[in-house]
Amino acid sequence: MPCKQERPMNRFPEEPPSFPLFVSAARPDAFAAACMSGSDIVVIDLEDSVAPDSKVAVRRIPQGALPKDPMVRLFLRVNGVGTVWHRDDLAFARKIGTDGIILPKCESAEQIAAVRAALNHGQKVIAQIETLPGLSRVDEIAAKADRLALGSIDLCEEMGCAHTRIALLPLRSRIVQAARLAGRPAPLDGVTISVTDGAAITDDARHARELGFGGKCLIHQRQLAPAQKGFCATPQDLDWARHALAADECPTSDAEGEMLRSPVAMRARRLLLRGQAAVGQAADALPRIGGRRAPVPAARTRQES
């Protein structure tokens, strides 16, 4: 039987997991190390991690603080719309030519449009959903932003709910749904507060992956390896994915062949793409892929993340 030629259209971008690493703009001594951490995005944070009386001064990044040719994408997290620093933060992002900005407490598509008008052409906008108005308009925000990110701690505080998985489940699912409906990359999950409990970080990342997130925000480079581990497909997943793609290319006439078509094949490609993010795994092992928050008391348990 001839192999099937046509392939189903997948309007969702297939990308490796992303792990934006936030570093305070008040710590220029840490910029170079962040850029060499192995994360794909370094976010210089002008917002929560900088005291109000230092927000102007931190825009003067010392010469040599950043590598001349960083091998990562550089973003700024600017101060939110309505703050006295917002407009100058956008001008700063435009001047130094970062790859994009993260807009905290984003609450409307109009805010995204205004931000884009203030930036250079091609600079990306990641909208952070961490308020009730933002959550209520997440569909329109997703349609205008390049990507969504969850600010879970602020959002739970505004809702008056516990910062637990069960409380966050409908919120996380809502954000993933909005990103998918808009045809955007899978959103980025919020941070894990602990920087030393690798098992908790991996477990949080795995939970985010299961819900459909495409990466996780980090507040320390120690979190990178355990977060990557949580997003990597297991060897069993990869074996299944290769089998599914082989069956999709040359389906049999039996029930298994029918089951392994279209949607299952797309899932298989996503699993193989996650395998590409595995630490130390060679890219050629993946065939057929076409294509800082206020401190929280240490007593929080893993299930609260």
Side-chain angles (χ1 to χ4, degrees):
M1 178 181 295
C3 291
K4 185 174 69 174
Q5 298 298 317
E6 69 275 10
R7 308 197 64 84
M9 289 185 63
N10 181 6
R11 63 190 182 97
F12 306 138
E14 292 183 356
E15 298 181 359
S18 180
F19 302 96
L21 174 59
F22 287 68
V23 56
S24 174
R27 290 289 312 279
D29 57 305
F31 293 173
C35 290
M36 297 175 64
S37 67
S39 181
D40 59 310
I41 297 176
V42 168
V43 182
I44 299 175
D45 183 29
L46 302 173
E47 197 216 12
D48 280 355
S49 66
V50 178
D53 58 358
S54 299
K55 288 184 182 289
V56 174
V58 294
R59 296 193 199 108
R60 296 191 291 271
I61 296 178
Q63 186 175 5
L66 288 167
K68 290 185 179 179
D69 297 306
M71 301 302 290
V72 298
R73 289 176 287 167
L74 289 174
F75 276 62
L76 287 183
R77 180 163 70 169
V78 301
N79 287 281
V81 176
T83 66
V84 297
W85 310 284
H86 176 71
R87 183 176 299 179
D88 289 340
D89 285 352
L90 293 178
F92 180 58
R94 182 182 182 118
K95 178 182 178 181
I96 66 175
T98 59
D99 292 282
I101 66 106
I102 293 182
L103 182 64
K105 300 173 178 65
C106 182
E107 297 187 344
S108 70
E110 289 76 18
Q111 290 182 354
I112 301 291
V115 165
R116 287 201 190 280
L119 297 175
N120 295 318
H121 178 72
Q123 286 182 296
K124 304 297 185 182
V125 179
I126 297 176
Q128 209 164 12
I129 305 300
E130 45 190 349
T131 68
L132 282 171
L135 184 65
S136 70
R137 303 184 187 107
V138 67
D139 290 315
E140 65 179 65
I141 292 170
K144 297 300 181 182
D146 293 289
R147 197 166 200 169
L148 298 178
L150 171 62
S152 60
I153 298 173
D154 283 279
L155 187 53
C156 286
E157 183 66 23
E158 182 154 326
M159 290 190 65
C161 66
H163 191 258
T164 61
R165 285 187 180 175
I166 192 167
L168 280 163
L169 179 59
L171 312 182
R172 282 186 164 118
S173 294
R174 182 72 187 88
I175 289 171
V176 171
Q177 179 189 63
R180 291 309 198 184
L181 284 170
R184 295 292 187 259
L188 303 167
D189 192 31
V191 302
T192 295
I193 297 302
S194 174
V195 301
T196 58
D197 190 343
I201 297 163
T202 296
D203 195 46
D204 285 351
R206 185 176 294 114
H207 177 68
R209 184 196 74 182
E210 290 171 352
L211 292 178
F213 283 84
K216 183 172 178 61
C217 297
L218 311 176
I219 55 174
H220 196 283
Q221 61 191 52
R222 280 189 218 164
Q223 295 179 317
L224 178 59
Q228 287 175 322
K229 182 179 178 181
F231 270 85
C232 286
T234 66
Q236 294 86 353
D237 285 339
L238 294 175
D239 286 343
W240 174 88
R242 294 186 181 100
H243 172 68
L245 284 181
D248 186 64
E249 291 288 341
C250 297
T252 64
S253 58
D254 60 14
E256 181 186 22
E258 291 298 320
M259 289 174 58
L260 291 173
R261 294 183 184 179
S262 301
V264 178
M266 287 189 285
R267 173 173 171 77
R269 290 189 191 89
R270 283 196 293 273
L271 285 171
L272 288 177
L273 199 62
R274 286 176 188 152
Q276 198 166 19
V279 178
Q281 182 167 347
D284 59 5
L286 303 173
R288 305 176 193 251
I289 298 182
R292 184 151 20 189
R293 300 298 176 206
V296 175
R300 287 188 184 274
T301 66
R302 182 180 308 178
Q303 289 187 349
E304 291 182 306
S305 57

